[in-house]
Amino acid sequence: MVWESSLPGSKASKSILYIPKNLKADKDDLILVYGKGSLNAVSGVDGEVLWKKDFSGESIEVSHIIQSSDVIYVTGFVDSSKISVYGLNAKNGELLENNHAALPFGTFGELLSVSGDMFVVLDEMRSKIVIVHLRNGEISYNQKHISDLTKDLAGQAVILPSRLPGMFALNINSYVLLIKVTNQGELVLVDKVNNGAAVSDSLSISEDEHAFAFVHYGDNKIHLSVKNVNDWNHDLLKESIVIDHQKGKIDKIFVNNYVRTDRSHGFRALMVMEDHSLLLVQQGEIVWSREDGLASVVDVTTSELPVQKEGVSVAKVEQNLFEWLKGHMLKLKGTLMIASPDDLAAIQALRLRSSEKSKMTRDHNGFRKLLIVLTRAGKVFALHTGDGRVVWSILLPSLHKSEACENPVGLHIYQWQVPHHHALDENPSVLVVGQCGPSLSTPAVLSFIDAYTGMELKSLSPAHTAAQVIPLPHTDSTEQRLHLIIDDKQHAYLYPRTPEAIDILKHEFSNVYWYSVDADNGVIRGHALKSNCIQEAVDEYCFDFRDLWSVVFPSESEKIIATMTRKSNEVVHTQAKVMTDYDVMYKYISKNLLFVANAAPKAAGEIGTVIPEEAWLVIYILDTVTGRILHRMTHHGCQGPVHAVFSENWVVYHYFNLRAHRYEMSVVEIYDQSRADNKDVWRFVLGKHNLTSPVSSYSRPEVIAKSQSYFFTHSVKAIEVTSTAKGITSKQLLIGTIGDQVLALDKRFLDPRRTVNPSQAEKEDGIIPLTDSLPIIPQSYITHALKVEGLRGIVTVPAKLESTSLVFAYGVDLFFTQIAPSRTYDSLTEDFSYALLLLTIVALVAAIFVTWVLSERKDLQDKWR
Amino acid sequence: MSSLRFFILSLTLSLCFAFQSDELLLDDDEFGLEGGNQQPPRSDPHFPSPSTPAPRKRFTESSSSDSKIQFSLHHAFGDSDFSDAGNFSARLKTWSHGGQTLTKLRFSRNPLTEEEQKKFQELLQTDDFYRIRLPSNVLSPPGRDYIISSVKARCLPGEGLEEHFVIHTEGVNILAVNYGAPGACPYPRQLKRPARWSFKSHTILKNSEQAPRTPIFAEDVLGGEEGEGELVKPVERSFWAKYWMYLIPLGLIVMNAITQAMNMAEEQVGGQGGAPGQQQPGSAGQRGSNAGVRRR
């Protein structure tokens, strides 16, 4: 690296980098950078900022920078109807001139540069093309109706953002118009392509030749053409490719040239698909493709694999006899060491495919699962946990752009149906919840997908929104889980929409509670169902609800920055916790607990912006049925970001301590005192205990909270806790560190009972002597030497084997592993010597036999005596 | 009578107040225990209406740092509108550093009217919610919003009607109120009618606690070795723990062999004195361990 320089600025704006043609390192050329509201001229030699012009005071939205010999023109729109041009001296940034031109109409979209000083833009009705001419800082414009160019097209036009010399592309309906702009500013329609998809930027192939690529669809194929900008009738390249439908349309295309063996120009095209995958196309073939959509995982759920059926044998997996023979030949070659590298690779692939862990059936230990991930592009992938391969993928048709739904986004993925009773003949399914657009007031989209085949079973586009989705702890007779979808108009909608579901809900009607967090206003509210909706159209699946409780945090001193609840499917093995003095504490285990972390409003920003006296962190543990505050605690001189994890009766959270200049992690454990009397054995014998009585949130809770804080070296991106099938295995915290690794930290380190000098009994109980900081043991990184680039979240899933928990970490990279926090105590380790065990048994049997023979012989001797 | 009581009350309060200066902040948690039938100290039942938000000073002799304020409790039956239910009175303490805290909370409830009793009966029948609300700011009620809390009406009846408030405050703001029965409310809730239509109220004011400080040790006690110790531990499994599966069969073999060897040895001993010994009845006792002999 020669130099690096950072440019400060005051306001956020789009950034433009203008590099003069043929920039050389030793030549003192200006590099113009517009960003954060100001234009910076940076020296190409050492990166020094030579001058700076601040535009943050003006209301201009800078869109282009043009450099003529010693004047730099900066142009952009003011309020979409006024074009403004600033002429600056290239030497010192001095303002030379400032011209404005007000258009009699507003504009739509961005200004597109056609040639050096010519720009096009659409008017706000999207029916006229405005050609803007900047000659030496003078603005002139003329306009042309699209209907003058082509008669038969009507609709909303969009200028495609492809940079072509003297040309631009316009998209109307499904047509792409290629329009040439003459030097006089006249528009000439060059071509009209039906089903056009994307147009690349131009690429200069020789001194005055520019090529560009465009694609259009036709007869289930994609046609790629590369043309010369000036010579329209001649195709440089024409290819057609078949692309998987699940990749959707082509979003963008980039073209690159090379010299063929016959010295002619060859082109290869990189296509960005609608599902964010990349394809490289050359000579009419897909050379490689990457599922880059997997880099933007939004939500994850898991599904069991199919149960192994009787009829499915290995022969079916091995396809046919020939394949089988070929496989064995390869293996034979491998053993005889006469295999070529290709053969070796094939053998490796074969081994991997037939290996135990990548089978498509359920295994005894529950290690094999399907990870079903929803990506930002609206594509759902099923990944096999054995080798990470994509089992199926579907670009959801319901999350497709349409008239009714302009910018659909997938939000969450839920387990919809998990068959246990009919596991052999019914497939599990998942529910994808999305909405049409980024705001909460756009209607919801629901899609149901078969988890084995990846088929969309059905999709719904209800009129209501989906502000909150609540999976209820009830399933109907087909094991579909009941879900309540809360909209933004105080209605709750029940899914599935079956009479049976209504019956189940009616039965539990008064026991359904939920809460909502309004972080902007600092209010948390609790809700319960009231009655069917009162509206014109009768909908028996729609319910009104009422507010049961509210907690209003004072806006001048607290701002909600994090909330966390327990996982709804978490299993707790035992409520009792035996202390070292053979005393019993009862964990306060309620599914309805909510952890809330509030920071001082001043300290809600970045670390270092406030002094410790102005920063504090208040944490709450709320009961979400009654709104009771069970625990409330203030950390002075601390600030967020807060990452928290809630499990069983404890919550662990991570924050920054400004006084100690270090990150800290705190633990709060809640114990139930109302059950504390149940210690006497006689009470149990006589049945005078209250352990079997149902717990009600309406009883006044008698809880005590124990807490302790520890320093922690790293800043954290995500925290999760291991989860196991029965909850017996001790827990580990999984911490996604700033270095994009996952660190496993034993929960015992975050025990509020740790003391400086634990007694012998306490030591035996596993209590670690108190230290002020949490140890980071290099060996306990479960990602080992790997990095999960851009780590965003960690998901843990219990395996069937109690000791093991499956961990999936996602970011730009995906990482999956299985961990055993207390080691695999319920299965033999891999290095267990079966041979020795067998030998011992054989020796034992032999010894028994020998001794038996000896004893018989002695008996006989005795008898003969 | 009422005026006399009022006088005594104010006297005790003012007395109490005279000692206020060196009172600790810890005093915040205070139990107010008053019967619902008791008349509120103020005769004006509409107090405080939202239009008169200013705190009322009642003690002219008090220092400027203290003032007495009142705020009202509203209640609703099921989905009905909220109506006045009672008054809280508290002392607002202004600290030299500018902070304000509420102390000395007292509560007086209006008696339930005939109509309200009827509504409450209905709630009991349908197992519906009895809802209360408080202003989120005691100086300018209702503040940003009301604090709402609800309880199933069937939880409240005991002797009379029993209720328990825990009011979480932050300065002059009320964050939340934990409202419910003072004891348990077991599920399923039984229908029980109160003997008396009067509320027995318990109130507690709660402020935020300080989080325990992170322990800070000298450098030499840092947790470095701790972790290593943690790792070494599993390696130090005892010999027995590691090889029990081999040791047990080995032990069996050894024992078997020993038994065998002893048998052989006795065989020899028996063989030497064998022939005559067979008739001796006492010899069986000597060879107690010999199974072969006993079998005979």
Side-chain angles (χ1 to χ4, degrees), chain A residues 16 230 396 459 490 714 732:
Chain A
I16 306 165
N230 301 318
L396 287 180
S459 72
Q490 294 267 311
H714 287 306
Q732 274 186 343

PDB file of all heavy atoms in Angstrom, chain A residues 16 230 396 459 490 714 732:
ATOM      1  N   ILE A  16     -18.882   9.546  -4.017  1.00  0.00           N
ATOM      2  CA  ILE A  16     -18.467   9.438  -5.420  1.00  0.00           C
ATOM      3  C   ILE A  16     -16.944   9.514  -5.447  1.00  0.00           C
ATOM      4  O   ILE A  16     -16.348  10.366  -4.788  1.00  0.00           O
ATOM      5  CB  ILE A  16     -19.040  10.602  -6.255  1.00  0.00           C
ATOM      6  CG1 ILE A  16     -20.550  10.678  -6.095  1.00  0.00           C
ATOM      7  CG2 ILE A  16     -18.651  10.471  -7.712  1.00  0.00           C
ATOM      8  CD1 ILE A  16     -21.145  11.973  -6.583  1.00  0.00           C
ATOM      9  N   ASN A 230     -21.063   1.491 -31.494  1.00  0.00           N
ATOM     10  CA  ASN A 230     -21.213   2.292 -32.714  1.00  0.00           C
ATOM     11  C   ASN A 230     -21.745   1.481 -33.893  1.00  0.00           C
ATOM     12  O   ASN A 230     -22.436   1.998 -34.732  1.00  0.00           O
ATOM     13  CB  ASN A 230     -19.875   2.924 -33.091  1.00  0.00           C
ATOM     14  CG  ASN A 230     -19.376   3.802 -31.961  1.00  0.00           C
ATOM     15  OD1 ASN A 230     -20.154   4.535 -31.360  1.00  0.00           O
ATOM     16  ND2 ASN A 230     -18.100   3.686 -31.658  1.00  0.00           N
ATOM     17  N   LEU A 396     -38.681 -17.857  -3.386  1.00  0.00           N
ATOM     18  CA  LEU A 396     -40.106 -17.879  -3.077  1.00  0.00           C
ATOM     19  C   LEU A 396     -40.904 -17.037  -4.075  1.00  0.00           C
ATOM     20  O   LEU A 396     -40.660 -15.841  -4.213  1.00  0.00           O
ATOM     21  CB  LEU A 396     -40.336 -17.348  -1.673  1.00  0.00           C
ATOM     22  CG  LEU A 396     -39.917 -18.283  -0.554  1.00  0.00           C
ATOM     23  CD1 LEU A 396     -40.203 -17.643   0.773  1.00  0.00           C
ATOM     24  CD2 LEU A 396     -40.630 -19.605  -0.665  1.00  0.00           C
ATOM     25  N   SER A 459     -49.264 -20.322  -0.384  1.00  0.00           N
ATOM     26  CA  SER A 459     -48.832 -19.008   0.074  1.00  0.00           C
ATOM     27  C   SER A 459     -50.060 -18.132   0.255  1.00  0.00           C
ATOM     28  O   SER A 459     -51.071 -18.302  -0.433  1.00  0.00           O
ATOM     29  CB  SER A 459     -47.865 -18.379  -0.917  1.00  0.00           C
ATOM     30  OG  SER A 459     -48.565 -17.987  -2.064  1.00  0.00           O
ATOM     31  N   GLN A 490     -53.983  -3.320  16.109  1.00  0.00           N
ATOM     32  CA  GLN A 490     -54.527  -3.939  17.316  1.00  0.00           C
ATOM     33  C   GLN A 490     -55.445  -5.128  17.007  1.00  0.00           C
ATOM     34  O   GLN A 490     -56.511  -5.277  17.594  1.00  0.00           O
ATOM     35  CB  GLN A 490     -55.289  -2.904  18.161  1.00  0.00           C
ATOM     36  CG  GLN A 490     -54.418  -1.824  18.738  1.00  0.00           C
ATOM     37  CD  GLN A 490     -53.930  -2.162  20.132  1.00  0.00           C
ATOM     38  OE1 GLN A 490     -54.699  -2.553  20.993  1.00  0.00           O
ATOM     39  NE2 GLN A 490     -52.655  -2.056  20.339  1.00  0.00           N
ATOM     40  N   HIS A 714     -12.993  -9.212  25.251  1.00  0.00           N
ATOM     41  CA  HIS A 714     -13.444  -8.946  23.887  1.00  0.00           C
ATOM     42  C   HIS A 714     -14.712  -8.124  23.845  1.00  0.00           C
ATOM     43  O   HIS A 714     -15.525  -8.168  24.764  1.00  0.00           O
ATOM     44  CB  HIS A 714     -13.744 -10.271  23.186  1.00  0.00           C
ATOM     45  CG  HIS A 714     -12.528 -11.042  22.821  1.00  0.00           C
ATOM     46  ND1 HIS A 714     -11.532 -10.491  22.079  1.00  0.00           N
ATOM     47  CD2 HIS A 714     -12.171 -12.311  23.078  1.00  0.00           C
ATOM     48  CE1 HIS A 714     -10.601 -11.402  21.900  1.00  0.00           C
ATOM     49  NE2 HIS A 714     -10.948 -12.506  22.506  1.00  0.00           N
ATOM     50  N   GLN A 732     -22.772 -24.041  28.183  1.00  0.00           N
ATOM     51  CA  GLN A 732     -21.663 -23.196  27.787  1.00  0.00           C
ATOM     52  C   GLN A 732     -22.224 -21.991  27.061  1.00  0.00           C
ATOM     53  O   GLN A 732     -23.211 -22.101  26.326  1.00  0.00           O
ATOM     54  CB  GLN A 732     -20.722 -23.954  26.849  1.00  0.00           C
ATOM     55  CG  GLN A 732     -19.693 -24.774  27.579  1.00  0.00           C
ATOM     56  CD  GLN A 732     -18.689 -25.401  26.644  1.00  0.00           C
ATOM     57  OE1 GLN A 732     -18.914 -25.500  25.452  1.00  0.00           O
ATOM     58  NE2 GLN A 732     -17.581 -25.843  27.190  1.00  0.00           N
TER      59      GLN A 732
END
